[in-house]
Amino acid sequence: MYFGLGLWLGATSVAVVAAALGGVVQSLLPPAVRLVPLGLVALAVLLREAGVITLPVPENKRLVPEHVLHRGRVFGGVQFGFEMGTGMRTYSPSALPHLVLLAVLLAVPFSGALAAAAGFAAARWIMAAASIAHSDDGSWSALWSDNRRLLAVATAVATIASLAAGLWAVA
């Protein structure tokens, strides 16, 4: 519960800052100048997730320090979740969060940025909960590995379709 709260707080913090910057960008640049690059990046991310191309993803290759967990169930859980929720202090196996962040900067309205934050936090929480609930024998990792590409492509298509539908509705 506290981990989830921290995830939501971290993701919301990033979304609010990105939406504020995005408000400036979106007011200064016409839609075509913003949406064409966003569409090209979405295509590149889809190809990356499908394994067709290789693109590095900006990431901070450090885990949240173990001492954070020793701060207690409430404060440790919230801080650990916050740091994971910002996406700034962890490994990033997918480019999808970067695509959504770019979309928030270039096209998504403030309310959409808050929805994206909630979605990011929920996805992080679901992965942690699923891995803990599955087993300790390594079968979760094997199951994930066996289906990684399919899940990556399905998630990419769902993310891009959601962004497109949301932007279409706003336009």
Side-chain angles (χ1 to χ4, degrees):
M1 179 169 118
Y2 300 112
F3 174 66
L5 174 63
L7 284 169
W8 179 78
L9 290 170
T12 300
S13 298
V14 171
V16 166
V17 171
L21 294 172
V24 173
V25 170
Q26 293 172 33
S27 67
L28 294 176
L29 298 175
V33 172
R34 295 180 285 117
L35 296 179
V36 169
L38 181 59
L40 293 172
V41 170
L43 177 61
V45 168
L46 179 59
L47 293 173
R48 180 194 186 275
E49 299 300 307
V52 175
I53 61 173
T54 303
L55 294 173
V57 176
E59 62 183 341
N60 188 355
K61 295 182 180 183
R62 295 184 313 167
L63 297 175
V64 176
E66 194 173 311
H67 69 80
V68 169
L69 297 176
H70 300 298
R71 294 200 169 146
R73 185 172 182 217
V74 176
F75 294 113
V78 170
Q79 183 178 349
F80 185 81
F82 185 87
E83 292 188 24
M84 291 291 289
T86 64
M88 306 298 174
R89 192 168 185 166
T90 186
Y91 291 86
S92 185
S94 173
L96 291 172
H98 301 86
L99 173 63
V100 173
L101 182 60
L102 181 64
V104 168
L105 289 169
L106 295 179
V108 173
F110 190 80
S111 59
L114 295 178
F120 180 76
R124 287 265 173 161
W125 183 84
I126 288 167
M127 281 297 296
S131 67
I132 289 169
H134 197 270
S135 70
D136 289 335
D137 64 1
S139 60
W140 168 256
S141 296
L143 184 62
W144 175 256
S145 293
D146 291 345
N147 296 288
R148 188 181 84 72
R149 186 65 61 209
L150 173 65
L151 293 169
V153 171
T155 305
V157 168
T159 300
I160 292 167
S162 297
L163 285 171
L167 294 175
W168 182 271
V170 172

